[in-house]
């Protein structure tokens, strides 16, 4: 994939793109908090020569640092600018954890861009899903993280996301370059700004919810189950996988994404 970057008022945002041809479907992969684009390496290798691909290091993550102020509004603005630069008017978006928040924020403002949405171990927009105590805990994230030594914090994040050693190693690698200050800031901003951006959202495009069988990150699995029950959007529970289920069990996740893409193509051909 070709590495490129977008210059913004907050800093440089790095992204990677691969174009098969203009007639192929576009897939956009957006990773979760404190991860980077390598979280999707098993999906990128699966799709590389078949469809057009785009992934990034989200603002304030990976190679997209330093970056002034992380917010979902800024992330969406940067993403839209990248899509415009690449001539992408519509795509199927695959977002893991925080990546799913970015996609839902994009749908909130520009739903026509999103042809389909795959949420991997992410949480739904909607006031009904989150209790007052849920919201209170999310607002405490930054100061709570500051209570831990950096190495303990890094190990805890990587272990919490992983079911396999390969996934643990991937997260450890992504986390290696962050200072403790950066980690605490991005974790705090990522969750507190989710609360500011969250709203009741009616998603009209096809949606697939994916969650790892062993996802124990907060209440993510509980939220995914509730999301499925409220919306009747299809839910795939991935065996032998935790929060980073697409890295833990890429064969199962890639199979679910394949079926979803085919479903989106069929629905569009019937219109």
């Amino acid at each position: 994939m070709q590495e490129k970057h977008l210059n913004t008022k907050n800093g440089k945002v790095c992204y990677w793109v691969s174009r098969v041809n203009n007639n192929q479907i576009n897939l956009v992969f957006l990773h979760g908090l404190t991860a980077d684009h390598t979280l999707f390496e098993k999906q990128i290798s699966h799709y590389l020569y078949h469809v057009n691909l785009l992934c990034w290091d989200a603002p304030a993550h990976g190679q997209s640092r330093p970056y002034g102020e992380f917010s979902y509004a800024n992330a969406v603005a940067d993403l839209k600018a990248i899509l415009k630069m690449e001539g992408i008017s519509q795509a199927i978006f695959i977002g893991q954890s925080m990546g799913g928040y970015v996609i839902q924020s994009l749908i909130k403002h520009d739903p026509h861009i999103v042809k389909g949405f795959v949420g991997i171990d992410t949480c739904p927009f909607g006031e009904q899903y989150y209790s007052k105590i849920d919201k209170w805990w999310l607002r405490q994230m930054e100061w709570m993280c500051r209570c831990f030594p950096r190495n303990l914090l890094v190990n805890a994040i990587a272990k919490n996301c992983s079911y396999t050693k390969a996934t643990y190693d991937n997260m450890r690698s992504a986390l290696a370059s962050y200072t403790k200050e950066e980690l605490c800031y991005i974790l705090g901003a990522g969750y507190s700004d989710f609360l500011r951006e969250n709203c009741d959202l009616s998603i009209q495009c096809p949606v697939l919810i994916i969650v790892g069988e062993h996802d124990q990150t907060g209440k993510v699995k509980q939220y995914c189950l509730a999301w499925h029950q409220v919306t009747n959007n299809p839910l795939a529970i991935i065996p032998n996988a935790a929060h980073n289920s697409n890295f833990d069990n890429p064969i199962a996740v890639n199979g679910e994404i394949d079926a979803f893409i085919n479903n989106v193509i069929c629905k569009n051909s019937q219109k």
Side-chain angles (χ1 to χ4, degrees), residues 3 5 194 211:
E3 181 178 344
H5 68 269
F194 167 77
V211 65

Side-chain angles (χ1 to χ4, degrees), residues 14-159:
C14 292
Y15 67 97
W16 291 258
V17 65
S18 174
R19 303 300 293 267
V20 177
N21 64 59
N22 290 333
N23 295 322
Q24 288 294 332
I25 198 163
N26 298 298
L27 299 186
V28 176
F29 292 94
L30 306 178
H31 63 76
L33 271 172
T34 72
D36 62 23
H37 71 283
T38 66
L39 178 65
F40 287 110
E41 65 181 36
K42 306 298 184 181
Q43 285 67 53
I44 289 167
S45 62
H46 180 71
Y47 290 108
L48 186 58
Y49 301 108
H50 307 291
V51 297
N52 301 322
L53 302 178
L54 189 148
C55 62
W56 71 355
D57 280 356
H61 290 72
Q63 296 182 41
S64 299
R65 293 179 292 154
Y67 187 90
E69 179 186 359
F70 177 85
S71 71
Y72 293 105
N74 285 340
V76 166
D78 295 344
L79 180 59
K80 286 172 61 179
I82 290 170
L83 295 173
K84 185 176 181 180
M85 284 174 59
E86 296 302 326
I88 298 173
S89 59
Q90 277 193 321
I92 293 176
F93 290 78
I94 298 98
Q96 191 273 342
S97 196
M98 176 197 73
Y101 309 159
V102 176
I103 296 165
Q104 289 173 91
S105 186
L106 176 62
I107 291 171
K108 175 180 172 181
H109 300 287
D110 292 279
H112 64 279
I113 297 175
V114 184
K115 204 170 185 177
F117 169 30
V118 179
I120 302 175
D121 300 286
T122 190
C123 301
F125 272 29
E127 294 292 343
Q128 64 185 304
Y129 298 106
Y130 307 101
S131 67
K132 289 183 179 180
I133 192 66
D134 289 343
K135 295 175 181 178
W136 185 87
W137 278 114
L138 289 174
R139 291 188 180 99
Q140 313 312 309
M141 189 60 65
E142 183 167 359
W143 76 260
M144 288 193 299
C145 290
R146 294 186 184 280
C147 296
F148 296 90
R150 180 190 174 279
N151 287 343
L152 184 61
L153 183 61
V154 166
N155 287 334
I157 294 170
K159 185 175 181 180

